[in-house]
Amino acid sequence: TTTAALERFTVNFTIMNLPYTSDLENPDSAKFRATQRVMNTLLDSLLKESRIGPDFQGCVTTAFRYG
């Protein structure tokens, strides 16, 4: 058997009902960590149910920005 190569990709999107605060700039803040946990859970669920699901290894939220 062969092992598939892992490939990283970036997804950018706008969350309309999440007010941006400066806490979201700081990866060490409680607000960032809580929002990161929620986003990772939701994105993991969504992508695991998609066409890439069988190969999907998980996501990591790296940043939030005002937009």
Side-chain angles (χ1 to χ4, degrees), residues 10-30:
T10 300
V11 177
N12 294 304
F13 55 91
T14 302
I15 304 169
M16 301 300 289
N17 63 347
L18 177 65
Y20 185 82
T21 64
S22 60
D23 289 345
L24 291 173
E25 292 177 17
N26 179 3
D28 295 323
S29 74

Side-chain angles (χ1 to χ4, degrees), residues 12-60:
N12 294 304
F13 55 91
T14 302
I15 304 169
M16 301 300 289
N17 63 347
L18 177 65
Y20 185 82
T21 64
S22 60
D23 289 345
L24 291 173
E25 292 177 17
N26 179 3
D28 295 323
S29 74
K31 175 100 175 191
F32 182 100
R33 289 192 309 271
T35 306
Q36 181 186 45
R37 272 193 305 277
V38 170
M39 292 308 304
N40 290 349
T41 299
L42 293 172
L43 287 171
D44 280 350
S45 295
L46 177 69
L47 292 171
K48 284 178 183 172
E49 295 298 320
S50 75
R51 194 168 56 113
I52 68 168
D55 299 312
F56 181 66
Q57 297 292 310
C59 70
V60 177

